[in-house]
Amino acid sequence: MIHLSQAAISEIERIKSKQPNVLFRLAVKPGGCSGFFYDMSFDEAIKVGDQVFDLDEIQVVIDATSLNYLNGLRVDYSEDLMGGGFRFHNPQAIATCSCGNSFSLSH
């Protein structure tokens, strides 16, 4: 369903190590340049309707609404001259913004 590259896993673990006992949450929210944007955060609790996935060494929490938008998503992390950042590759997106975090869907 969702794939995290080894670089993404390493970066999530690095950030998470500063906040022990938190859950990694991945969501889609309305807004951004193209209609929707990816939201990554840390949370202390699993909420009603959340799904928890074990992806390699990371537990990922996704709310029921976001789940449909994230099927097939690949998350990578890379660094360049402008700094590091997560990169999202969503096969469902029909358009993406140059920021890389915003996308639109056909439905």
Side-chain angles (χ1 to χ4, degrees), residues 7-48:
I9 290 169
S10 295
E11 183 62 11
I12 293 166
E13 286 178 335
R14 185 189 70 77
I15 297 168
K16 191 176 174 187
S17 70
K18 298 175 184 179
Q19 307 174 63
N21 303 319
V22 293
L23 303 161
F24 173 65
R25 182 175 290 280
L26 181 59
V28 170
K29 296 191 175 178
C33 312
S34 297
F36 295 98
F37 69 95
Y38 301 103
D39 182 59
M40 298 170 62
S41 62
F42 291 100
D43 201 341
E44 295 181 358
I46 296 171
K47 298 176 176 81
V48 174

Side-chain angles (χ1 to χ4, degrees), residues 40-93:
M40 298 170 62
S41 62
F42 291 100
D43 201 341
E44 295 181 358
I46 296 171
K47 298 176 176 81
V48 174
D50 284 346
Q51 299 264 342
V52 180
F53 299 91
D54 288 314
L55 303 177
D56 298 307
E57 302 110 39
I58 303 285
Q59 275 195 325
V60 180
V61 179
I62 302 173
D63 65 88
T65 304
S66 297
L67 197 57
N68 292 330
Y69 300 108
L70 298 174
N71 191 25
L73 180 71
R74 289 183 297 118
V75 181
D76 194 12
Y77 180 83
S78 63
E79 294 192 22
D80 56 27
L81 295 175
M82 300 299 288
F86 288 93
R87 312 290 187 243
F88 302 93
H89 308 281
N90 190 337
Q92 296 185 67

